[in-house]
Amino acid sequence: MELAGTARREQATYKQFLLDLLQVELADRDVRRQQRLLRLARFPRPKRLEDFDFTKPTARRRRPPGGRRRGARRPGR
């Protein structure tokens, strides 16, 4: 653990070492709490053009000529 090595090199007191250790633990807990809450909120993932893979074909169907869906009735028929 790098915190223990730093405390040893700086000849920190046991109290100071425990204080530093608790501050690191609290900061880590805050980060994990934020990540957990964001995951539980199920916000939609942000979409960026940089993340889009243009090499994959899209699953979107194209409409036939005339712009109507297949099987759709024409008005008045």
Side-chain angles (χ1 to χ4, degrees):
M1 177 179 234
E2 63 187 54
L3 193 59
T6 303
R8 187 175 298 130
R9 277 192 303 277
E10 295 177 2
Q11 296 179 348
T13 64
Y14 188 65
K15 272 186 173 180
Q16 186 62 43
F17 171 69
L18 285 179
L19 178 64
D20 293 343
L21 187 64
L22 287 175
Q23 288 174 340
V24 169
E25 177 65 23
L26 286 175
D28 185 55
R29 285 184 182 198
D30 283 341
V31 168
R32 285 184 285 144
R33 179 177 175 263
Q34 288 175 358
Q35 291 171 346
R36 185 185 78 247
L37 291 174
L38 283 172
R39 207 174 37 252
L40 289 174
R42 294 187 178 191
F43 290 126
R45 291 180 53 198
K47 296 179 183 178
R48 303 180 321 177
L49 282 175
E50 295 87 22
D51 299 333
F52 187 76
D53 186 5
F54 288 99
T55 61
K56 290 185 178 180
T58 60
R60 188 174 177 167
R61 290 187 175 181
R62 298 191 184 269
R63 290 186 180 215
R68 290 189 311 274
R69 293 178 299 201
R70 295 179 191 200
R73 294 184 180 186
R74 290 186 183 174
R77 291 194 176 180

